[in-house]
Amino acid sequence: VTPQYAELLRRYGSPLYVYRLDEVRAAVRELRACLPAEVRLYYSLKANPHPAVVAGTAAVGAYPEISSAGELAAVRAADVPAERCLYTGPAKTEGELRAAVRAGVRLFSVESAADLARLRTAAGPSTVDYLVRLHPGDRPAVAGLRMTGSPSQFGVEPADLKPELLAGAAGFHLFSATNLADPDAVRAELLNNVAVTARVATEAGFTPRVVDLGGGFGAPFAVPGERPHYPDLREALTDALNAAFPGWQRGEPRIAVESGRHLVAAAGTLLTTVMDVKSSGGKEFVVCDAGVNALGGMSGLGRLLPSTQPAGQRAGAAPATLVGPLCTPLDVLSRSARLDRPAVGDVLAVPNVGAYGLTASLVAFLGRPLPTEVVVDGDRVVSARRLTLTETEVV
Ligand SMILES: Cc1ncc(COP(=O)(O)O)c(C=O)c1O
């Protein structure tokens, strides 16, 4: 643990999430430099909705992509104008849409005729733009998680693009895959999305004003490693867009992409303290003060942390089972952590958890306090907070 982390732990206690804003800004700048300058980059708040993190992405030119009232509240808390948001997601309620329009959101992605009907009702006399989310059958690459190319709840299949849906549309939204580890796969995915949106537009006789090509930009999760780089993307995308949408550099249509994890994963580290070390049935169990309640979304879904652990990692050490503080055998962070003689009081640093960390976890399970989240900018502490669950009487 660095001296800065040791000091933060002393001040704020354990477990502790630390988010580094310089790293957030660097990731946004790097990705923007890999894209043609005219392409708008949306930051997907689902990766990390901390207002200071959102403000960090906005400070270097990212726009917010949101899909809930909570994410809209985070945008407002970050002092980013709601007019800059793209509001996406299946099953948006009329109430949340009404609140979003009232707050100033003007661009939505709609997933179906039913979704559009709710948006129209919610917008009332206000003018809003919407993108039709497409679900084409094409499948260019292997993704971590695919949204298109196989049956899913997302978007509208081209054959179902009714004239009523397109008549008032501003354009298309095609988020086809997430977390592609290979930069070549990201490029293939985006080029395919350019071709698909152009083809669907031509077939429908529709001229989009906005085309959101989605993303798929990868990042390591909870293991050491660097985010991927995309040195060839800018040129390849420029060529493909020139061919598909000749006016795109004049903003006809305006092109956008989305990224969550790639922009914030590396900025976040979870510090957790070893509370116990014991052996059972010949296996070593390392009991930490953070488990699936603090870093649980992904491991709770069966993606256990792989067998590396940076703080004190030791080649050749027998693998230990890293567990959290919850009273369930399911509270396992890793079944094969290689730790260097772990002892009570040691601090483990889990890297690359700035995305899908705390807010993707089972935070209410067993009622432990949530970890404090500290945001630093270099040496300076920008914010320290602890989220709590609150009770509201429903009448
Ligand atoms: C529509 C949409 N946009 C953006 C994202 C963010 O994905 P990532 O964090 O992998 O960039 C997702 C993730 O599921 C998504 O569904």
Side-chain angles (χ1 to χ4, degrees):
V1 197
T2 64
Q4 183 186 25
Y5 287 176
E7 167 62 16
L8 291 173
L9 273 173
R10 228 175 27 80
R11 263 170 84 179
Y12 301 110
S14 173
L16 186 69
Y17 268 96
V18 183
Y19 308 130
R20 295 180 307 280
L21 284 185
D22 40 8
E23 188 62 39
V24 170
R25 291 192 300 264
V28 174
R29 285 199 182 105
E30 263 175 50
L31 186 55
R32 290 193 68 201
C34 292
L35 296 164
E38 298 84 353
V39 172
R40 178 176 291 186
L41 174 61
Y42 281 101
Y43 167 57
S44 302
L45 266 74
K46 56 180 73 58
N48 187 334
H50 194 300
V53 171
V54 176
T57 66
V60 281
Y63 287 63
E65 184 261 308
I66 58 174
S67 52
S68 70
E71 291 183 354
L72 175 58
V75 168
R76 301 180 80 177
D79 258 337
V80 177
E83 291 74 16
R84 291 169 69 95
C85 289
L86 165 64
Y87 203 113
T88 69
K92 299 183 279 295
T93 66
E94 205 178 296
E96 69 176 296
L97 290 168
R98 203 177 306 116
V101 173
R102 206 181 307 127
V105 180
R106 288 295 175 265
L107 184 61
F108 295 81
S109 162
V110 304
E111 301 256 350
S112 67
D115 202 22
L116 176 58
R118 281 192 295 270
L119 175 61
R120 288 217 161 106
T121 308
S126 304
T127 307
V128 296
D129 276 325
Y130 66 88
L131 309 178
V132 176
R133 183 160 179 192
L134 294 177
H135 182 149
D138 312 55
R139 188 193 170 102
V142 180
L145 278 179
R146 287 210 68 87
M147 281 74 171
T148 66
S150 54
S152 83
Q153 68 270 46
F154 301 111
V156 182
E157 301 206 359
D160 296 330
L161 264 186
K162 302 275 181 318
E164 313 82 87
L165 206 51
L166 275 185
F172 292 135
H173 177 208
L174 208 185
F175 193 92
S176 51
T178 179
N179 202 17
L180 296 164
D182 178 1
D184 290 346
V186 171
R187 193 183 58 224
E189 194 77 28
L190 290 173
L191 297 189
N192 185 65
N193 291 355
V194 171
V196 169
T197 46
R199 188 188 72 217
V200 173
T202 304
E203 283 170 6
F206 170 73
T207 306
R209 285 184 282 122
V210 180
V211 174
D212 180 339
L213 298 170
F217 304 100
F221 176 70
V223 288
E226 307 255 305
R227 59 180 170 271
H229 295 278
Y230 305 100
D232 310 331
L233 187 57
R234 189 186 177 114
E235 200 181 324
L237 207 47
T238 301
D239 290 347
L241 287 166
N242 283 341
F245 299 108
W248 72 280
Q249 278 168 319
R250 299 188 302 276
E252 299 169 8
R254 188 173 74 228
I255 306 296
V257 298
E258 298 170 29
S259 175
R261 74 187 71 229
H262 183 82
L263 302 182
V264 296
T269 303
L270 173 63
L271 304 175
T272 176
T273 303
V274 174
M275 306 298 290
D276 223 331
V277 180
K278 42 172 63 168
S279 99
S280 170
K283 282 189 156 180
E284 186 173 59
F285 287 80
V286 177
V287 187
C288 299
D289 62 359
V292 294
N293 57 324
L295 184 62
M298 301 302 164
S299 45
L301 290 169
R303 288 195 200 170
L304 297 173
L305 305 190
S307 59
T308 49
Q309 179 31 260
Q313 185 184 336
R314 183 169 56 131
T321 304
L322 201 63
V323 300
L326 307 184
C327 312
T328 162
L330 297 177
D331 189 14
V332 177
L333 289 180
S334 173
R335 294 195 193 283
S336 51
R338 292 186 187 272
L339 305 176
D340 187 8
R341 287 174 286 274
V344 171
D346 281 358
V347 174
L348 306 181
V350 185
N352 285 316
V353 290
Y356 305 108
L358 183 59
T359 57
S361 299
L362 304 180
V363 293
F365 190 36
L366 275 157
R368 298 184 75 84
L370 274 69
T372 297
E373 297 171 282
V374 181
V375 183
V376 295
D377 197 349
D379 292 337
R380 194 166 57 89
V381 173
V382 172
S383 148
R385 73 166 192 189
R386 180 179 294 139
L387 292 172
T388 53
L389 296 169
T390 55
E391 182 178 305
T392 307
E393 196 181 1
V394 179
V395 288

